[in-house]
Amino acid sequence: MSDPLIIEPPRPNPLRDPRDRRLPRVPEPCALVVFGITGDLARKKLLPAVYDLHSRGLLPTDFVLVGFARRDWSDGDFEDMAREAARTGARTPWREELWSRLAGNIRFVPGSFDDDNAFDELSRVLDEMRDSHGIKGNAAFYLSIPPSAFPVVLKQLQRTGMADNGKSGGWRRVVVEKPFGTDLESSRELNDLVDDVFTAEDVFRIDHYLGKETVQNILALRFANQLFEPVWNSHYVDSVQITMAEDVGIGSRAGFYDQTGAARDVLQNHVLQLLALVGMEEPVEFTPDAIRTEKIKVLRAITLPADLGSYAIRGQYTQGWLAGERVLGYRQEKDVPEPSQTETYAAVTLDIETRRWAGVPFYLRTGKRLPRRVTEISILFKKAPHLPFSKTDTEELGHNQLVIRVQPDEGVTLKFGSKVPGSQMEVRDVAMDFLYGETFTEASPEAYERLLLDVLLGDAMLFPLNEEVEASWDVIDPLEEHWSGQAPYRYRAGEWGPGEAEQMLARDGRVWRRP
Ligand code: BG6
């Protein structure tokens, strides 16, 4: 009997082209097992995403959520915590009746990662649910845990046979959160470990930026239109800037952040993924393999400038003012060791040695405690080779520019020159804006919502391959080596990073865009 509270998934139409991806797809019955369920990520992102998917009718009726953590909790305690987290973070309207349907299928397994009995119990719970909840042996294991805990959890999944597709009678997948290692070597070790336990197509590496609508739209913008491709190369493009700025500090994450720093936390993954999408060639088809093949090629074609001292700048924030409030410097943040040399800001100039991009600098920057939260990609075009106007007519004319606003104010802006109304010829920059909020009535799903759904569907399109991860470390490792032992430059919280990053562009006769 159909449930009036749940939006019924569409019935399969035998006449429909299986490649038609417009209608929502619903995963097969399955369990989602989350390790580290009490952590920030699970509470703020994963649990709300589970509720949102459920309320959109995108979870199978036979869906089970299993939490695993070192807590003396009953199923009911876990359900209370999950409910609160989902209610607080949900994007879609909260409906108690909807939650209670989900709540009936929630289980908690207490234990630590080195506790064999706890993993035996988890295995037993999944076996039992195969029949009692109809999950058919399908399960995804989400490792929302520090990378140092990966080995022990993976070994447990292997020891108990839980990672074994054949034994489970369904599919078994693992979800690994970034950062994937701390350098090339450790990422290889991590990968060997994961590969030893799961088959490659069952491993889903999460870079949540790829789950953002605006990031997926880069492919649509570039490959669904005729307009941009002819000018998307070094003949027309002067330079590209990719900015991922945050106004927040490190919050309560000192333990993780001080070991990681801005380059490993954000440049290595989110920002290089954005670069790959902007720089890649057109895939031969819109499939995970074809897209990832092209992304890997770009990442492998990246070269670093010889003079890293001038073209790789890192900074650390000191106390300052943000939105009218006094904020602490990085070294005063809770649990940050006083002489910390960890960077909270990184800017670097990269080249892509391909026919399309040779000679076009890609300027990347990321930082915490910058004036505002903004992620954007700006493609700056060369100036027209000749202007048939007098010099004074075009004094206010800058470069043509295409800005892809990843967040906030999601959209795309095209800047070009236009005549100012009046009896003289005066040309000035104007902007044409596409705003998601004004164009589409449906709000964009959260990145984790989309990615979680794709894991359960087994759709790998938005998940980086290990080769991409390794190619990215190849870019970051020399930077880290260059920086090691050097003190980062300082910038005041609320400023756009250290002055040296401004000089990096000034040296090339350019300036950072002020988003
Ligand atoms: C995470 C980083 O991957 O991305 C955080 O570890 C950062 O340091 C976060 O704050 C930013 O994500 P978003 O989606 O808010 O831009």
Side-chain angles (χ1 to χ4, degrees):
M1 209 175 65
S2 77
D3 183 336
L5 289 172
I6 311 251
I7 305 163
E8 279 293 322
R11 287 178 206 292
N13 174 353
L15 298 177
R16 194 176 139 205
D17 181 341
R19 288 164 307 174
D20 183 347
R21 293 161 60 101
R22 283 171 303 177
L23 287 179
R25 293 169 301 155
V26 177
E28 296 170 87
C30 60
L32 173 68
V33 181
V34 183
F35 296 102
I37 191 75
T38 55
D40 250 23
L41 179 75
R43 278 185 295 112
K44 292 191 180 146
K45 300 288 182 189
L46 303 182
L47 290 167
V50 166
Y51 172 81
D52 286 330
L53 286 173
H54 176 57
S55 83
R56 290 169 63 207
L58 296 178
L59 288 183
T61 324
D62 301 317
F63 171 79
V64 175
L65 174 68
V66 184
F68 184 104
R70 201 171 42 191
R71 288 282 198 287
D72 192 14
W73 279 354
S74 64
D75 289 344
D77 296 331
F78 171 46
E79 197 260 301
D80 287 347
M81 170 265 176
R83 178 183 174 284
E84 195 43 37
R87 201 182 56 76
T88 313
R91 178 180 70 83
T92 54
W94 182 257
R95 288 167 67 196
E96 201 58 52
E97 327 84 79
L98 265 186
W99 175 259
S100 51
R101 258 145 242 281
L102 205 54
N105 287 359
I106 282 185
R107 295 292 295 268
F108 184 71
V109 177
S112 60
F113 299 149
D114 55 4
D115 178 354
D116 286 0
N117 292 337
F119 278 82
D120 292 343
E121 171 63 8
L122 177 62
S123 175
R124 200 196 55 73
V125 165
L126 288 179
D127 281 347
E128 177 193 302
M129 286 181 159
R130 192 192 339 242
D131 305 321
S132 64
H133 289 70
I135 60 167
K136 298 188 177 158
N138 299 327
F141 301 99
Y142 201 118
L143 307 192
S144 177
I145 54 179
S148 56
F150 287 178
V152 56
V153 172
L154 287 166
K155 289 279 173 239
Q156 292 282 20
L157 293 176
Q158 190 173 42
R159 182 188 64 77
T160 50
M162 279 192 280
D164 193 330
N165 283 326
K167 208 166 158 199
S168 68
W171 49 255
R172 293 289 158 112
R173 299 178 186 141
V174 68
V175 187
V176 191
E177 268 288 334
K178 61 144 277 261
F180 315 107
T182 52
D183 56 14
L184 181 59
E185 199 187 323
S186 57
S187 104
R188 283 197 174 136
E189 280 166 18
L190 172 62
N191 197 52
D192 287 348
L193 202 73
V194 177
D195 269 358
D196 198 33
V197 181
F198 286 91
T199 40
E201 61 273 21
D202 293 328
V203 181
F204 291 75
R205 295 174 188 78
I206 291 232
D207 180 322
H208 78 277
Y209 264 58
L210 297 181
K212 293 184 191 265
E213 278 293 332
T214 41
V215 174
Q216 295 163 49
N217 189 41
I218 299 171
L219 295 180
L221 186 86
R222 290 196 54 203
F223 303 126
N225 295 303
Q226 173 72 339
L227 190 57
F228 303 110
E229 175 57 21
V231 295
W232 209 264
N233 55 56
S234 63
H235 298 298
Y236 294 91
V237 175
D238 168 89
S239 55
V240 177
Q241 294 186 12
I242 304 181
T243 298
M244 190 286 206
E246 294 182 280
D247 53 355
V248 291
I250 54 148
S252 54
R253 298 166 77 215
F256 161 77
Y257 199 86
D258 199 62
Q259 298 296 315
T260 309
R264 289 188 175 109
D265 184 35
V266 169
L267 272 193
Q268 189 270 344
N269 35 80
H270 306 329
V271 176
L272 284 182
Q273 283 291 326
L274 295 179
L275 176 145
L277 292 170
V278 170
M280 68 190 259
E281 296 302 314
E282 183 173 287
V284 288
E285 53 185 355
F286 199 64
T287 58
D289 281 351
I291 291 174
R292 297 189 296 192
T293 301
E294 298 306 330
K295 276 165 54 192
I296 291 169
K297 286 203 276 196
V298 186
L299 291 168
R300 289 202 179 134
I302 293 176
T303 57
L304 289 165
D307 179 9
L308 285 181
S310 305
Y311 288 101
I313 306 296
R314 57 182 208 142
Q316 191 185 70
Y317 61 82
T318 57
Q319 63 178 10
W321 291 85
L322 248 166
E325 254 185 52
R326 193 164 185 80
V327 296
L328 295 176
Y330 177 69
R331 290 185 185 180
Q332 287 90 52
E333 301 272 19
K334 190 168 168 292
D335 299 331
V336 171
E338 167 54 33
S340 171
Q341 307 283 39
T342 300
E343 83 279 358
T344 57
Y345 175 97
V348 59
T349 305
L350 301 179
D351 291 312
I352 301 179
E353 296 297 329
T354 59
R355 175 169 283 244
R356 183 186 287 272
W357 293 118
V360 178
F362 279 68
Y363 300 110
L364 317 183
R365 63 175 164 168
T366 183
K368 299 224 183 255
R369 286 289 189 225
L370 300 182
R372 52 184 293 242
R373 173 176 185 255
V374 57
T375 299
E376 62 166 43
I377 300 159
S378 148
I379 319 279
L380 199 72
F381 292 94
K382 291 181 176 167
K383 288 205 164 174
H386 169 71
L387 293 172
F389 307 98
S390 77
K391 204 158 181 276
T392 46
D393 294 348
T394 53
E395 252 170 14
E396 302 282 313
L397 176 66
H399 288 255
N400 295 163
Q401 202 176 354
L402 183 77
V403 183
I404 300 168
R405 290 194 309 278
V406 173
Q407 64 188 27
D409 307 328
E410 289 80 359
V412 180
T413 299
L414 185 62
K415 282 175 80 180
F416 52 91
S418 189
K419 181 181 175 306
V420 180
S423 49
Q424 310 88 325
M425 175 51 82
E426 189 193 341
V427 183
R428 193 198 290 162
D429 284 340
V430 293
M432 227 160 63
D433 250 339
F434 148 56
L435 273 160
Y436 275 75
E438 282 177 5
T439 311
F440 300 113
T441 44
E442 187 164 340
S444 299
E446 275 285 321
Y448 276 97
E449 214 175 309
R450 168 68 196 260
L451 295 176
L452 212 49
L453 179 64
D454 283 2
V455 168
L456 302 182
L457 287 166
D459 184 337
M461 180 90 78
L462 301 176
F463 299 83
L465 273 182
N466 185 48
E467 284 87 333
E468 290 171 69
V469 174
E470 292 194 354
S472 303
W473 282 122
D474 259 335
V475 176
I476 301 298
D477 281 0
L479 295 178
E480 294 290 353
E481 202 174 306
H482 165 73
W483 284 328
S484 87
Q486 286 182 27
Y489 296 112
R490 301 303 173 89
Y491 62 99
R492 214 174 319 194
E495 288 178 351
W496 281 105
E500 286 74 8
E502 304 292 331
Q503 287 159 22
M504 177 174 105
L505 262 74
R507 216 171 278 121
D508 291 0
R510 300 189 177 91
V511 289
W512 287 109
R513 199 182 113 79
R514 283 280 169 265

